[in-house]
Amino acid sequence: MRIVKNFVNGAYEEPTGEVKYPVYNPAFGEKIAMVAEAKRDEVDRAVDLAFDAQKKWSEIPIPDRVKILFKLETLMWDSIEEIAEITTIEHGKTFEEARGDAIRAIQNVESAAAATYHIMGSSNKDIASGVDEELIREPLGVFAIISPFNFPLMIPFWFLPYAVALGNTVVVKPSEKTPLSMEKSMELIKKAGFPDNVIQLLNGGKEAVEYILENKKIAGISFVGSTPVAEYVYKKGTSLKKRVQAGASAKNFILVMPDADLEKNIKNIIGSFFGNAGERCLAGAVLVTFEENHDSVVKKFVDAARELRIGYGMEKDVDMGPLIREEHRSKVKEYIESGINEGAKILLDGRKYRNERYPNGFFLGPTVFDYVTEDMRIAREEIFGPVASVIKVDNFDHAIEMINRSRYGNASSIYTSSGYYAREYVKRIKAGNVGVNIGVAAPIAFYPFAGMKDSFFGDLHPQGGLDHILFFTDSKVVISRW
Ligand code: NAD
């Protein structure tokens, strides 16, 4: 079985650590590659090389750095079908979803070009007699990017283009479950003309993360993953004097008001819950209804969920792929059992789904629970699978209060035709990414990807806007008299 390669010193390298983690094609349930755990000396060597490369890289004029990004952008568009296929094979999402993942990655490369403008400092003449003052923003050195399995390409690209545009170098450690999309993209990074060691790839799992945390030459870490790991990386990283931004888990509520245009929006609502097989940090998880619209919303929702076509993402007309691993499918099934045991009513049971064509794939059908209450595990914990819980509330205020009691605050959406309720919702809801008649509130590259409460640790968010400028640079103030 082939071992996923690292990319260090401008070339692909065979890893030397213990071969530990299988990569699957989850639709077939077949192993397709293996990942070795990075050793401490491999991490330290890569970081030393990135550290040494950084000064020279930062002295390349910013328009020339941006030109390399534009070359990368063109190469990524040219290879988008190939990259998307790799993502579908290693993750299981549909080809269209994988293409969307790649498009979002490319848009971040495009958006990073704006760093040229955003990095401009400010200055004041004559702050005292004959004295001038200016603010300069400087790169910090080497950043590590540690990413989750569910968006193998997009999430590393929430950080990578901005970090390098601003004069830093980076070491990317993708998820050991889905490392192949980033492995492929290193070929394009090389072709685009990045000097050696400006962008490196190291594979591995939690030990690699430990070595990254403990490496003193790494100035900062951009992490995305589950809340317990995000919190751990944030605490340990900051205690070791690194900057850390850490995106984490989610439990997203979707409120459907009685005045919502259901006919128009049902497809969008269903896409939120079951797109990417529910393995999305922006996925809808709890559908909130009222007495007046509960029955009609639930009927439409279940009917539409039943229609979803499940299968191998490379095949035509597939709406939903498999889950990432058999263990994950078992975990999601345990949640379904816990929902039944806690008294929720199961209206659609995804455990009954069988795929005749790919009997070994990790498929699970869409599952819908009604009569869910706020205290049930299926309403509180992140399931990260195609499971929807419906909660009926008395009124708008109760909905807001319940949603705001959730420990997570990644995303939330309202469906309504009332400007008043939409505005109130946006103002009062404690979630970082808010949708109004949009089920997956995914910010485009030039806005930050927000997140509140236990869905984010840190203060400067991923992606564009000004957050990345502040995260990937330090301020220097110069006061001069001549
Ligand atoms: P994960 O936490 O298992 O893994 C994330 C990264 O951390 C991986 O690179 C992994 O190798 C590493 N890791 C895993 N366990 C570790 C440990 N004990 N110590 C150190 N490092 C460890 O997450 P996942 O299952 O790959 O991804 C799914 C999670 O990510 C979900 O909770 C989802 O909500 C979250 N997510 C959040 C966002 C966001 O922007 N907030 C985006 C995507 C996914």
Side-chain angles (χ1 to χ4, degrees), residues 146-150 155 158 173-177 204-206 209 223-227 229 232-233 247-250 281 382 384 410 449 455:
I146 302 168
S147 53
F149 79 82
N150 64 331
I155 291 182
W158 277 356
K173 204 296 286 169
S175 164
E176 66 280 16
K177 296 190 180 97
K206 61 188 252 192
V209 172
F223 175 92
V224 180
S226 58
T227 291
V229 185
Y232 171 74
V233 169
S249 306
C281 71
E382 181 183 58
F384 223 53
N410 210 43
F449 194 100
S455 293

XYZ file of all heavy atoms in Angstrom, residues 146-150 155 158 173-177 204-206 209 223-227 229 232-233 247-250 281 382 384 410 449 455, ligand 1:
302
model
N -3.007 23.148 10.995
C -3.446 21.788 11.354
C -4.935 21.698 11.026
O -5.737 22.473 11.559
C -3.210 21.523 12.861
C -1.723 21.718 13.198
C -3.692 20.124 13.250
C -1.428 21.757 14.700
N -5.299 20.761 10.139
C -6.667 20.813 9.616
C -7.446 19.516 9.862
O -6.862 18.469 10.093
C -6.616 21.163 8.126
O -5.766 20.290 7.444
N -8.795 19.610 9.772
C -9.655 18.439 10.013
C -9.912 17.666 8.715
O -9.483 18.093 7.646
C -10.941 19.088 10.510
C -11.016 20.364 9.748
C -9.596 20.822 9.512
N -10.675 16.572 8.838
C -10.868 15.708 7.670
C -11.919 16.211 6.696
O -11.935 15.814 5.536
C -11.233 14.279 8.130
C -12.677 14.114 8.533
C -13.666 13.905 7.568
C -13.075 14.177 9.863
C -15.007 13.766 7.934
C -14.413 14.036 10.225
C -15.370 13.829 9.262
N -12.834 17.110 7.152
C -14.056 17.271 6.363
C -13.955 18.217 5.173
O -14.764 18.117 4.255
C -15.232 17.651 7.278
C -15.046 18.976 7.952
O -13.932 19.416 8.207
N -16.149 19.641 8.265
N -9.853 24.016 3.951
C -9.464 24.542 5.268
C -7.973 24.903 5.341
O -7.655 26.001 5.799
C -9.968 23.634 6.405
C -11.498 23.755 6.434
C -9.346 24.033 7.761
C -12.215 22.989 7.513
N -7.702 28.282 4.019
C -8.209 29.418 4.803
C -7.033 30.235 5.360
O -7.196 31.377 5.761
C -9.007 28.923 6.003
C -10.424 28.557 5.745
C -11.121 28.690 4.571
C -11.327 27.999 6.703
N -12.407 28.234 4.765
C -12.562 27.811 6.053
C -11.221 27.636 8.044
C -13.674 27.278 6.703
C -12.327 27.115 8.684
C -13.539 26.934 8.021
N -0.122 20.471 8.260
C -0.321 19.084 8.740
C -1.800 18.781 8.538
O -2.636 19.138 9.362
C 0.066 19.003 10.227
C 0.457 17.636 10.745
C -0.625 16.592 10.728
C -1.696 16.760 11.779
N -2.856 15.845 11.513
N -2.132 18.118 7.401
C -3.552 17.850 7.152
C -4.060 16.705 8.025
O -3.272 16.034 8.703
C -3.576 17.441 5.676
C -2.206 16.943 5.383
C -1.256 17.592 6.349
N -5.353 16.452 7.982
C -5.921 15.320 8.721
C -5.321 14.017 8.179
O -5.181 13.843 6.960
C -7.433 15.287 8.540
O -7.931 14.029 8.936
N -5.013 13.113 9.083
C -4.486 11.809 8.663
C -5.558 10.988 7.952
O -5.256 10.001 7.284
C -3.918 11.041 9.873
C -4.926 10.612 10.936
C -5.328 11.737 11.896
O -5.077 12.912 11.579
O -5.916 11.429 12.948
N -6.832 11.432 8.060
C -7.912 10.697 7.383
C -8.044 11.112 5.913
O -8.466 10.317 5.086
C -9.243 10.946 8.097
C -9.284 10.413 9.526
C -10.696 10.473 10.085
C -10.744 9.944 11.493
N -10.690 11.007 12.506
N 0.700 13.099 9.498
C 0.707 12.458 10.807
C -0.572 12.767 11.550
O -1.506 13.362 10.992
N -0.626 12.376 12.792
C -1.813 12.582 13.620
C -1.456 13.370 14.863
O -0.770 14.392 14.791
N -1.891 12.849 16.040
C -1.756 13.662 17.250
C -0.320 13.838 17.701
O 0.021 14.864 18.292
C -2.635 13.107 18.379
C -2.336 11.715 18.826
C -3.407 11.254 19.799
C -2.816 11.217 21.182
N -3.694 10.523 22.137
N 1.114 16.728 15.940
C 0.582 17.980 16.524
C 1.383 18.341 17.785
O 1.736 19.508 18.008
C -0.929 17.841 16.825
C -1.456 19.045 17.599
C -1.707 17.650 15.526
N -5.462 26.281 13.645
C -6.011 24.936 13.861
C -7.498 24.934 13.546
O -8.208 25.899 13.843
C -5.806 24.518 15.332
C -6.459 23.192 15.662
C -5.750 22.001 15.565
C -7.803 23.130 16.043
C -6.358 20.781 15.834
C -8.419 21.907 16.319
C -7.688 20.732 16.213
N -7.984 23.821 12.984
C -9.434 23.589 12.884
C -9.690 22.117 13.181
O -9.009 21.240 12.646
C -9.985 23.953 11.485
C -11.498 23.695 11.421
C -9.705 25.413 11.141
N -10.679 21.850 14.037
C -11.016 20.465 14.385
C -12.065 20.437 15.469
O -12.841 21.389 15.632
N -12.090 19.371 16.242
C -13.129 19.213 17.269
C -12.791 20.059 18.503
O -11.625 20.377 18.761
C -13.241 17.742 17.652
O -11.993 17.292 18.120
N -13.812 20.372 19.297
C -13.623 21.267 20.445
C -12.577 20.776 21.453
O -11.720 21.572 21.863
C -14.985 21.552 21.122
O -15.740 22.347 20.203
C -14.839 22.310 22.431
N -9.909 19.000 21.080
C -8.545 19.155 20.539
C -8.238 20.641 20.318
O -7.136 21.117 20.638
C -8.352 18.336 19.233
C -6.909 18.420 18.770
C -8.756 16.870 19.435
N -7.381 22.155 23.592
C -6.061 21.690 24.030
C -4.945 22.425 23.255
O -3.995 22.938 23.854
C -5.967 20.170 23.796
C -4.584 19.619 24.004
C -4.069 19.489 25.300
C -3.776 19.271 22.923
C -2.781 19.017 25.496
C -2.488 18.791 23.120
C -1.998 18.669 24.404
O -0.718 18.208 24.596
N -5.097 22.486 21.934
C -4.069 23.134 21.107
C -3.981 24.626 21.469
O -2.889 25.197 21.581
C -4.375 22.930 19.595
C -3.492 23.808 18.716
C -4.199 21.455 19.218
N -10.526 26.920 15.256
C -11.941 26.673 14.947
C -12.333 25.316 15.517
O -11.518 24.381 15.523
N -13.562 25.168 16.012
C -13.938 23.951 16.726
C -15.340 23.468 16.336
O -15.892 23.907 15.329
C -13.830 24.213 18.222
N -15.899 22.594 17.176
C -17.137 21.871 16.838
C -18.367 22.784 16.779
O -18.300 23.962 17.152
C -17.389 20.783 17.880
O -16.262 19.960 18.009
N -19.474 22.178 16.379
C -20.680 22.983 16.162
C -21.940 22.185 16.463
O -21.928 20.954 16.484
C -20.716 23.432 14.702
N -19.125 21.743 9.574
C -19.269 22.531 10.801
C -20.373 23.572 10.668
O -20.773 24.181 11.646
C -17.951 23.174 11.189
S -17.491 24.492 10.067
N -22.581 17.509 19.280
C -22.334 17.460 17.838
C -22.329 16.004 17.386
O -21.570 15.189 17.916
C -20.977 18.103 17.511
C -20.695 18.087 16.018
C -19.325 18.659 15.665
O -18.316 18.142 16.159
O -19.280 19.626 14.888
N -22.298 15.169 13.856
C -21.475 15.192 12.642
C -21.865 14.059 11.694
O -21.034 13.286 11.214
C -19.992 15.098 13.020
C -19.142 16.068 12.220
C -19.461 17.411 12.178
C -18.013 15.647 11.517
C -18.695 18.318 11.459
C -17.239 16.535 10.784
C -17.586 17.869 10.761
N -21.336 28.183 16.316
C -20.664 28.313 15.021
C -21.562 29.003 14.004
O -21.170 29.986 13.394
C -20.234 26.932 14.512
C -18.992 27.039 13.664
O -18.070 27.762 14.026
N -18.961 26.361 12.541
N -14.206 33.730 8.676
C -15.054 32.600 9.030
C -15.180 32.653 10.548
O -14.271 32.265 11.275
C -14.405 31.294 8.566
C -15.352 30.130 8.596
C -15.975 29.689 7.437
C -15.629 29.474 9.784
C -16.862 28.623 7.464
C -16.517 28.409 9.821
C -17.130 27.980 8.661
N -17.180 27.012 19.893
C -16.892 26.731 18.487
C -15.648 27.471 17.997
O -15.255 27.318 16.834
C -18.085 27.137 17.604
O -19.182 26.306 17.870
P -10.153 16.271 15.072
O -10.183 17.206 16.217
O -10.242 14.821 15.333
O -8.812 16.485 14.220
C -8.387 17.770 13.795
C -6.861 17.764 13.690
O -6.305 17.536 14.989
C -6.317 16.676 12.785
O -5.272 17.198 12.012
C -5.847 15.589 13.752
O -4.730 14.881 13.279
C -5.478 16.381 14.997
N -5.759 15.656 16.243
C -6.745 14.741 16.464
N -6.731 14.328 17.745
C -5.718 14.985 18.359
C -5.208 14.990 19.686
N -5.741 14.229 20.630
N -4.161 15.791 19.956
C -3.622 16.576 19.007
N -4.069 16.608 17.724
C -5.109 15.829 17.398
O -11.323 16.746 14.079
P -11.883 16.000 12.792
O -12.697 14.821 13.217
O -10.811 15.814 11.781
O -12.848 17.126 12.201
C -14.190 17.285 12.577
C -14.352 18.373 13.614
O -13.859 19.608 13.124
C -15.827 18.612 13.961
O -15.943 18.810 15.341
C -16.149 19.893 13.207
O -17.217 20.639 13.737
C -14.851 20.628 13.305
N -14.729 21.644 12.263
C -14.805 22.953 12.649
C -14.725 23.961 11.701
C -14.802 25.404 12.112
O -14.469 26.262 11.320
N -15.208 25.714 13.331
C -14.561 23.627 10.344
C -14.492 22.285 10.000
C -14.579 21.293 10.963
